[in-house]
Amino acid sequence: NCEGKEGKGGKKLMLNDLMGRLDIKDKKEVKEVKEVKQPVKQPVAIVEDASSNEIREVDTAGDQYLTDVQYDDYIIPNVHQQHDEVDEDNDDDNNTSNNDDANEDDESIESNLEGKMWQDDQVQKSLWDPLVNIRRPNTSTKLNSLQAEPQYIGTVVLVVPPKLSPSEINPSSKRHANAAPRKTIVGTLKDMDGANNQRLIFTPTNRCLPQFMTPPGTKAKLAQDRSTNNNSDNSKSDGKNNTKSPPTPNINLYSAEYIYGTWSSTEKWPPCSNLQQIGQSGNVEDETQALLLEYEVDHGPFPTTVLQDVTDVVESGRTQASNGEMGWSPTPDMIKGRRDYRKERIFTIDPTTAKDLDDALHVKELDDGRVEMGVHIADVSYFIKPGGSIDEEARRRGTTVYLVDRVIPMLPRPLCEIACSLNENVERLAFSCVWVMNRDGTLAGGDGNKIGLEKPKDIWYGRSVIKSCARLDYATAQNIIDQKVAKDGAGTGEEEDEALWPVARRPTGGHTMKEVAKDVRLMHLVAMARRKLRFAHGALSLNGIKLSFQLEDDRETPSLCAPYPMRESNWLIEEYMLMANYLVAQRMITHAGGLALLRMHPPPAKMGLDKVVDIAKASAGFDIDGTTSESLQSSLSKLGRECTDTLVLQCITAMLMSPMKSALYIAAGSCKPEGWCHFALHIPYYTHFTSPIRRYPDMIVHRLLQATLDGEDAVEKFVHPESEIREISTHCNTKKDASRLAQERSDRIFLSIFLKTNPIPSALAVVTSVGRTTFTVFIPSLGLNTKIFMDDHKDKYNVTVNEKPHGCSTMILYPKVDVGGPSRLDIKIMEKIAVACICKAAPPIDVALRIVGPWIGET
């Protein structure tokens, strides 16, 4: 009814808001509303409220009217319901998981919580004590049906250009107004056959991309360049008057650009331009430069203006040690107004080679039996003012990039390794989060712990000054936990074996090894109790294997490759960082609302998860419930108890990694509160506060946290409006993904180089999927998921493929030559085979697998 009636309540609602909340009685009547091209002033719709059965008017001014097709598509499969009161089905982070001690009553308890608030769950209350009033999801609706977007399978026919990132372009400049976006690609060249034999094909390193056609004349130009290089290098002989020939094109690495929109429908391959030679495939430095270009993390050196500004901001605290090394210490003016923790027994626990230490901890036993936990984070935001050159450069980089042989920092060294790094026995500025918790790992306790009331005495946030007494690494902390050093009831501990607790990592400032060891063990006790509770009630653990490398002195040759060990000391730190991040997220939401920069984690992709569930059932007979993170973790726990083959559990866990989506930074105001949830952690909200040295979002979080402490006026005038926080979030998501891909590619390069000199003649591989011409295997010893291409084995095997539904196809390999082994090799899901791991012969450098035969066990 659009006859100019005034809507009640004065609130403007869009039609798509109403669709999820209301039952519309007459579809024909709604269609008439949609067909109005120019709605009159203040139109209203007459609808029935499903929650109250009342007929009422709703303001529809400014609505975007749907076509009949759009309406039918929206009403039937719609999962985008965005409203305040009923959206129970769309809160995909409603997950609680059972461990070995969970009982059969959990399911009924969970069902009783459907549609209620997170605070109504006593387990969540004890673990996290949530203060924000957010509705829990409806666990009776399967996670698999709650996807926020449709999923398609098909063939690539067009490359869609991305949105230009506002953080990369000067908004005041019109130079980019009509410029088409470009993508840098890295790969190798090969000749074309037939009529196009004067052209070259560009094959990207990234197999997700198609091949590209190089510009006309590229082949002739490369030949001319080679001739020029030959002439210029005539003086460079090998002593026998033999001039060295330059590398042929197919072993060189090149970069090129693709301009979005230039791939015509009449062309088989998209065109590329601006072809540039990077270096030689297989050379570590050239391969690294290639991946930096490919993933757009080739930030280069810091600009002179940035370095000068860094010098200026740290100058007043500069010191010089007796050995001549430069140091830094805060001045009295810097310390003024900060809480003083310099006398507390604070220490760091980090990887052995870590240089930028951005978090430290302390623990104290309280008289009432509880413990005080303190997480102290480097106060980077004190040194970096919004909008300055340092801030703009850090924002552009977004994150520190960690490769096998180098680190590409977000901040210049004087900041991240000297002034901000929480080194031992020196005073540092910190931003602290201190809270009180129980020894069993819970937060809630006592009559005074009421939902909705944050007790200042139990949680404190603020700027501080600290003096770390020791720089522990994970190995040393684990030795302490295992009672290998500074044992309970023993002496002072100062006589301990240096191999177990190196002298350089022992406490200073009057603190003893015995005291620090007692603190570590108390932290461990509380952290492990909390970790057990988290995984028993919703948290999901799908940890893949991470490789670590030991390099020769040349920093290019890997001499050792092994899985990175995860210890309980790693988990100790993880538990307290999670807690601090959660508490800071809560503070921002309650005091800054939509400005809060959060870290959300969406549920897994439907089709991918369904496929793993079907494969587990068909191949191994195991039932996996992917409804929630709780049911998923519960299924894995049950599988771990009942399965006699640990490899099966390891493989299914590896397969479950594929449909999992990446966590994202968001502005709280960009979505409904139900969209803040973190699926894997199974909590209603989360953020990143603990690593401002290496993550730009953490710096924004520090600034906003300080604004909430300064008062409402500071929040109102916060330097970053919500629109800017959204832009920062989007940009940092892109940089975070690029950093991860660059790190994975670096791992692959060094593993390939390691295998070149240390091939693995026979390794256990478990088949995880089977296609028409390839199958994928998981290699537990390397944590590697890799395809095996039957084209690489066409001289050795004849192949028969049996296609089956639910991803359960099989393949039979018949040896072409009788070598006295089995007459056939069955390739099916969960089948164990032996493969050789070598370095791929043709560029780009990568790991190659060769089928050896059936797995017959260790020899």
Side-chain angles (χ1 to χ4, degrees):
N1 185 346
C2 299
E3 297 180 354
K5 296 181 180 179
E6 295 290 330
K8 294 182 179 179
K11 183 179 180 182
K12 181 185 294 185
L13 296 176
M14 298 297 291
L15 183 58
N16 61 349
D17 289 317
L18 303 176
M19 290 298 187
R21 184 184 301 178
L22 309 167
D23 292 330
I24 299 179
K25 301 295 290 184
D26 187 345
K27 183 175 178 180
K28 182 182 293 185
E29 188 174 298
V30 175
K31 287 185 180 180
E32 292 174 0
V33 174
K34 294 182 292 176
E35 290 167 358
V36 177
K37 302 293 185 180
Q38 299 291 336
V40 296
K41 184 178 181 181
Q42 299 295 339
V44 296
I46 305 300
V47 292
E48 180 182 28
D49 191 327
S51 61
S52 62
N53 294 324
E54 295 179 356
I55 302 294
R56 58 188 178 87
E57 299 174 354
V58 181
D59 179 9
T60 61
D63 280 3
Q64 298 173 351
Y65 296 100
L66 308 177
T67 66
D68 290 344
V69 174
Q70 289 172 329
Y71 174 87
D72 291 336
D73 289 343
Y74 191 92
I75 286 295
I76 298 169
N78 176 46
V79 293
H80 266 306
Q81 300 171 2
Q82 295 182 2
H83 45 84
D84 294 324
E85 295 152 32
V86 177
D87 192 15
E88 297 142 350
D89 294 342
N90 209 23
D91 189 350
D92 294 330
D93 279 332
N94 176 25
N95 316 297
T96 10
S97 87
N98 307 321
N99 68 354
D100 297 351
D101 300 322
N103 57 50
E104 296 177 356
D105 294 334
D106 286 342
E107 185 174 347
S108 61
I109 294 173
E110 185 69 24
S111 63
N112 291 334
L113 292 169
E114 292 177 4
K116 295 186 178 181
M117 304 299 175
W118 283 86
Q119 295 95 324
D120 297 326
D121 183 344
Q122 291 302 311
V123 175
Q124 284 292 322
K125 179 180 176 182
S126 67
L127 272 172
W128 303 99
D129 196 11
L131 302 179
V132 183
N133 195 32
I134 298 178
R135 188 179 298 277
R136 287 177 58 94
N138 189 337
T139 57
S140 64
T141 302
K142 290 211 171 198
L143 175 152
N144 296 355
S145 66
L146 299 176
Q147 302 306 306
E149 71 280 335
Q151 299 175 55
Y152 302 100
I153 297 176
T155 303
V156 175
V157 295
L158 180 68
V159 181
V160 180
K163 294 181 179 179
L164 293 176
S165 176
S167 60
E168 298 286 343
I169 297 175
N170 180 5
S172 63
S173 172
K174 296 182 180 180
R175 181 169 58 90
H176 303 279
N178 299 316
R182 298 167 180 255
K183 178 177 179 61
T184 299
I185 48 180
V186 170
T188 55
L189 298 176
K190 69 175 183 180
D191 291 315
M192 293 189 66
D193 298 326
N196 289 321
N197 60 3
Q198 295 303 309
R199 303 289 294 274
L200 293 172
I201 283 290
F202 185 91
T203 305
T205 302
N206 184 351
R207 291 184 177 179
C208 296
L209 298 176
Q211 291 184 314
F212 290 78
M213 175 67 78
T214 58
T218 299
K219 191 170 185 178
K221 183 178 183 303
L222 288 176
Q224 183 180 357
D225 290 344
R226 287 198 299 273
S227 175
T228 302
N229 289 335
N230 280 337
N231 293 334
S232 63
D233 290 342
N234 279 339
S235 59
K236 299 178 181 179
S237 66
D238 57 4
K240 300 178 182 180
N241 296 323
N242 293 326
T243 303
K244 294 182 179 180
S245 299
T248 54
N250 66 340
I251 63 171
N252 283 342
L253 290 170
Y254 294 85
S255 67
E257 286 186 342
Y258 169 67
I259 303 175
Y260 287 97
T262 58
W263 189 2
S264 146
S265 59
T266 60
E267 295 175 328
K268 181 177 181 179
W269 296 286
C272 65
S273 59
N274 195 21
L275 192 72
Q276 301 287 334
Q277 182 175 328
I278 300 173
Q280 195 167 0
S281 178
N283 177 278
V284 170
E285 186 61 34
D286 294 341
E287 291 280 2
T288 301
Q289 289 303 316
L291 74 87
L292 294 177
L293 283 172
E294 182 176 6
Y295 299 113
E296 298 181 352
V297 291
D298 183 23
H299 300 310
F302 286 97
T304 304
T305 54
V306 173
L307 296 176
Q308 183 57 52
D309 286 351
V310 167
T311 300
D312 294 341
V313 298
V314 303
E315 187 61 34
S316 59
R318 284 280 194 179
T319 61
Q320 187 169 4
S322 57
N323 60 2
E325 290 188 4
M326 296 298 296
W328 190 90
S329 181
T331 64
D333 287 342
M334 296 177 186
I335 295 173
K336 190 180 300 182
R338 293 176 177 265
R339 180 174 285 193
D340 194 342
Y341 280 105
R342 285 175 290 186
K343 293 183 180 180
E344 289 290 343
R345 195 162 48 251
I346 296 174
F347 49 86
T348 60
I349 304 177
D350 288 283
T352 303
T353 58
K355 294 181 179 179
D356 47 351
L357 314 181
D358 47 18
D359 57 86
L361 304 94
H362 86 262
V363 64
K364 285 191 348 185
E365 294 185 86
L366 303 179
D367 294 338
D368 62 2
R370 297 189 296 171
V371 296
E372 176 186 282
M373 274 304 311
V375 170
H376 309 276
I377 307 301
D379 191 3
V380 179
S381 62
Y382 173 82
F383 299 95
I384 302 177
K385 303 309 176 185
S389 65
I390 309 174
D391 183 56
E392 290 299 319
E393 181 66 16
R395 176 171 169 173
R396 183 181 74 85
R397 297 181 178 225
T399 183
T400 293
V401 182
Y402 294 94
L403 306 181
V404 172
D405 63 335
R406 70 197 67 185
V407 175
I408 303 168
M410 184 183 77
L411 296 173
R413 182 177 177 274
L415 268 181
C416 61
E417 293 183 16
I418 300 176
C420 293
S421 184
L422 305 181
N423 299 332
E424 73 280 12
N425 205 30
V426 291
E427 296 178 356
R428 288 291 182 264
L429 303 180
F431 215 134
S432 302
C433 178
V434 183
W435 67 92
V436 175
M437 63 192 305
N438 301 318
R439 294 172 70 95
D440 64 359
T442 61
L443 280 185
D447 296 336
N449 199 354
K450 298 178 180 178
I451 290 297
L453 297 177
E454 182 177 348
K455 299 177 295 177
K457 67 176 183 179
D458 282 357
I459 306 175
W460 180 84
Y461 317 84
R463 282 183 154 141
S464 60
V465 56
I466 69 169
K467 188 175 183 180
S468 172
C469 74
R471 180 199 294 234
L472 303 181
D473 60 3
Y474 289 123
T476 303
Q478 191 62 46
N479 290 335
I480 295 172
I481 292 169
D482 295 339
Q483 297 276 352
K484 293 181 179 179
V485 290
K487 299 178 182 179
D488 291 336
T492 62
E494 305 304 323
E495 69 286 350
E496 297 289 353
D497 185 350
E498 185 177 351
L500 298 176
W501 194 335
V503 173
R505 299 190 181 279
R506 297 184 181 184
T508 59
H511 303 288
T512 67
M513 296 173 67
K514 197 77 172 178
E515 292 170 335
V516 171
K518 182 181 178 182
D519 288 350
V520 170
R521 291 179 186 128
L522 177 58
M523 288 181 183
H524 173 258
L525 173 72
V526 177
M528 292 304 103
R530 181 173 181 81
R531 184 177 179 85
K532 183 177 180 180
L533 273 176
R534 284 200 308 108
F535 286 111
H537 296 91
L540 180 64
S541 177
L542 293 174
N543 293 322
I545 296 174
K546 166 69 177 170
L547 291 178
S548 61
F549 297 87
Q550 181 176 312
L551 302 181
E552 300 284 2
D553 293 338
D554 61 4
R555 300 295 299 169
E556 292 187 356
T557 307
S559 59
L560 181 66
C561 171
Y564 180 80
M566 286 298 294
R567 308 176 175 94
E568 290 189 5
S569 54
N570 296 80
W571 298 337
L572 179 159
I573 295 298
E574 179 182 304
E575 288 302 316
Y576 297 119
M577 297 303 112
L578 290 178
M579 191 70 236
N581 285 333
Y582 167 82
L583 291 175
V584 170
Q586 184 164 263
R587 171 78 188 190
M588 290 192 301
I589 291 170
T590 55
H591 291 74
L595 289 174
L597 195 159
L598 304 178
R599 181 79 168 165
M600 64 83 69
H601 183 218
K606 175 186 183 305
M607 291 195 314
L609 186 60
D610 284 347
K611 182 179 178 180
V612 177
V613 170
D614 291 341
I615 287 174
K617 180 66 176 178
S619 62
F622 293 112
D623 291 313
I624 295 179
D625 184 357
T627 305
T628 64
S629 65
E630 173 202 17
S631 60
L632 196 55
Q633 183 66 35
S634 178
S635 299
L636 292 176
S637 297
K638 183 179 179 182
L639 179 59
R641 294 193 303 270
E642 298 179 355
C643 182
T644 57
D645 190 344
T646 56
L647 270 179
V648 173
L649 176 62
Q650 199 172 358
C651 289
I652 291 177
T653 302
M655 287 190 286
L656 285 170
M657 294 288 288
S658 180
M660 290 295 163
K661 297 180 181 179
S662 299
L664 299 170
Y665 295 112
I666 61 169
S670 65
C671 64
K672 298 294 181 181
E674 291 83 358
W676 300 341
C677 300
H678 197 290
F679 176 80
L681 295 178
H682 184 46
I683 50 179
Y685 37 81
Y686 188 66
T687 193
H688 274 169
F689 161 76
T690 53
S691 295
I693 290 178
R694 60 184 178 89
R695 294 189 304 230
Y696 187 75
D698 298 52
M699 207 181 308
I700 302 298
V701 168
H702 278 225
R703 289 171 182 165
L704 184 57
L705 178 59
Q706 183 59 47
T708 67
L709 299 173
D710 291 339
E712 293 182 7
D713 189 54
V715 173
E716 186 71 23
K717 298 177 181 177
F718 188 56
V719 65
H720 303 291
E722 184 182 317
S723 59
E724 186 179 358
I725 291 178
R726 293 188 189 192
E727 293 175 2
I728 291 171
S729 298
T730 301
H731 174 67
C732 289
N733 288 332
T734 301
K735 290 301 182 183
K736 184 80 172 177
D737 286 343
S739 172
R740 173 181 55 82
L741 293 171
Q743 183 174 339
E744 291 174 356
R745 177 59 184 160
S746 180
D747 287 348
R748 199 83 170 196
I749 289 170
F750 276 86
L751 176 59
S752 303
I753 293 173
F754 176 79
L755 292 174
K756 185 182 291 186
T757 55
N758 302 276
I760 301 175
S762 180
L764 169 63
V766 183
V767 179
T768 56
S769 71
V770 179
R772 289 191 180 95
T773 60
T774 68
F775 62 93
T776 302
V777 296
F778 173 68
I779 304 175
S781 60
L782 298 175
L784 206 61
N785 271 299
T786 302
K787 284 185 182 296
I788 293 181
F789 297 86
M790 293 316 302
D791 281 349
D792 296 337
H793 298 77
K794 58 187 177 183
D795 295 335
K796 188 175 180 182
Y797 293 104
N798 291 317
V799 181
T800 300
V801 178
N802 300 317
E803 294 191 47
K804 297 181 181 179
H806 308 301
C808 294
S809 298
T810 62
M811 189 181 286
I812 303 175
L813 310 184
Y814 299 97
K816 290 185 175 181
V817 179
D818 185 6
V819 292
S823 60
R824 57 184 274 177
L825 180 61
D826 292 313
I827 303 298
K828 58 185 179 181
I829 306 298
M830 297 300 168
E831 185 74 14
K832 298 177 183 177
I833 65 172
V835 298
C837 304
I838 60 176
C839 179
K840 185 165 161 279
I845 190 169
D846 203 349
V847 177
L849 302 183
R850 296 292 179 264
I851 301 170
V852 175
W855 178 253
I856 56 175
E858 298 287 349
T859 58

